[in-house]
Amino acid sequence: MAESFDQRHAISRRVLIMGVSGSGKSTIGEAVAERIGCHYIDGDKYHPPENIRKMSSGHSLNDDDRRGWLEELARLFGRYREADETVLIGCSGLKRRYRDILREGDPQLTILFLKGEYDLILQRMQERQHFFSPEMLTSQFETLEAPGDDEAIAIDISKSFDNVIDQCVEALEALD
Ligand SMILES: Nc1ncnc2c1ncn2[C@@H]1O[C@H](COP(=O)(O)OP(=O)(O)OP(=O)(O)O)[C@@H](O)[C@H]1O
Ligand SMILES: O=C(O)[C@H](O)[C@@H](O)[C@H](O)[C@H](O)CO
C-alpha cells in the first residue's frame, strides 16, 4: 500500500477544501485525499435534513442554518487533531466567520481555496445532476468572502481536473 501523508510528513494536517457550490470540493477533494493518502470527508453529508430540504427547494442557507453544521465540522477537525491524523474536509466555508468556527477545531487549519469565475462554475453546475440548483450560485458568490493569501492557498480551477488535483497535491506536499 502507498505511504500515507502522515508517514511522509513530520506534522499531521487538518485541511479544509473550500469554495462555492460547484467549485469542485467533492470531486477534487476525494481525488486529492486518495493521492496524498488521507481521509476525505464531504461536509455536505453533515447538513441536517432541514438544510438539504431548504436547498433542494431552491432556497439558500443563512447564517443560522449553517451554524450547527459548521460546529459539527469543527468538532470533526478537532477529533482528527486530537488523534494527530491528517484529514481533508470539503465545506463551502464562504464567510470568514464560518472559517473561524472551523478553526475552533484546529487553529492551524490549512485551507485550499478553489477559486474560479462565476461563468465557468455555472457551466459546470449546469452539466451535473445535483440537488443544489445553479440558480443559487449568485447567492454563493454574494456570500463569499474570498480568503486572501494570508489565510488560504488559492487553487486555479479553470484548469483540467488533473492539473487542479496536482496544484492541491503540490501545495500540501510542500508543507512540513
Ligand atoms: N477542473 C475541472 N474541470 C472540469 N470539470 C470539473 C473540474 N472540477 C470540477 N468539475 C466538475 O464540476 C462539477 C462540480 O464539482 P463538484 O460537485 O465536485 O463541486 P462541489 O464544490 O463539491 O459542489 P457542491 O458544493 O454543490 O457539492 C462536477 O460535475 C465536476 O465533475
Ligand atoms: O454553505 C452553503 O451554502 C452550503 O454548504 C452549500 O454550499 C452546499 O452545501 C453545497 O454547495 C451544496 O452541495
Side-chain angles (χ1 to χ4, degrees), residues 71-121:
E71 287 168 353
E72 180 70 31
L73 296 181
R75 279 192 287 277
L76 264 180
F77 275 129
R79 266 182 245 141
Y80 275 87
R81 178 171 174 239
E82 276 161 32
D84 193 17
E85 254 185 69
T86 293
V87 67
L88 182 54
I89 301 186
C91 160
S92 46
L94 299 176
K95 291 188 187 180
R96 173 90 191 201
R97 172 72 197 122
Y98 299 169
R99 300 189 290 274
D100 287 340
I101 296 175
L102 297 172
R103 271 188 284 265
E104 286 169 14
D106 185 347
Q108 260 73 54
L109 199 62
T110 300
I111 305 184
L112 298 175
F113 170 39
L114 299 181
K115 191 173 181 182
E117 301 288 326
Y118 176 88
D119 288 346
L120 172 77
I121 296 175

Side-chain angles (χ1 to χ4, degrees), residues 1-165:
M1 219 173 85
E3 262 196 332
S4 69
F5 185 89
D6 291 334
Q7 287 168 322
R8 288 191 305 282
H9 293 264
I11 303 172
S12 66
R13 301 279 173 177
R14 267 56 56 193
V15 184
L16 167 68
I17 183 160
M18 62 158 284
V20 296
S21 176
S23 58
K25 301 178 294 289
S26 325
T27 44
I28 301 293
E30 219 168 284
V32 171
E34 166 106 38
R35 278 268 299 276
I36 68 170
C38 76
H39 285 150
Y40 175 73
I41 297 174
D42 198 334
D44 273 353
K45 298 219 163 74
Y46 288 80
H47 273 301
E50 55 272 23
N51 281 2
I52 301 289
R53 269 199 299 276
K54 188 168 179 183
M55 291 189 276
S56 305
S57 65
H59 300 283
S60 298
L61 301 180
N62 59 34
D63 290 356
D64 286 341
D65 299 323
R66 289 175 177 124
R67 186 170 307 114
W69 169 64
L70 291 165
E71 287 168 353
E72 180 70 31
L73 296 181
R75 279 192 287 277
L76 264 180
F77 275 129
R79 266 182 245 141
Y80 275 87
R81 178 171 174 239
E82 276 161 32
D84 193 17
E85 254 185 69
T86 293
V87 67
L88 182 54
I89 301 186
C91 160
S92 46
L94 299 176
K95 291 188 187 180
R96 173 90 191 201
R97 172 72 197 122
Y98 299 169
R99 300 189 290 274
D100 287 340
I101 296 175
L102 297 172
R103 271 188 284 265
E104 286 169 14
D106 185 347
Q108 260 73 54
L109 199 62
T110 300
I111 305 184
L112 298 175
F113 170 39
L114 299 181
K115 191 173 181 182
E117 301 288 326
Y118 176 88
D119 288 346
L120 172 77
I121 296 175
L122 181 66
Q123 187 194 332
R124 287 181 184 169
M125 283 176 99
Q126 282 164 341
E127 285 162 6
R128 74 173 180 174
Q129 292 297 322
H130 199 281
F131 69 82
F132 195 93
S133 136
E135 278 83 63
M136 292 191 292
L137 185 59
T138 324
S139 137
Q140 292 274 298
F141 271 90
E142 281 164 3
T143 310
L144 176 66
E145 294 168 7
D149 294 349
D150 54 335
E151 198 190 347
I153 302 161
I155 304 293
D156 173 8
I157 63 160
S158 68
K159 306 288 194 299
S160 69
F161 258 119
D162 287 350
N163 179 289
V164 176
I165 294 162

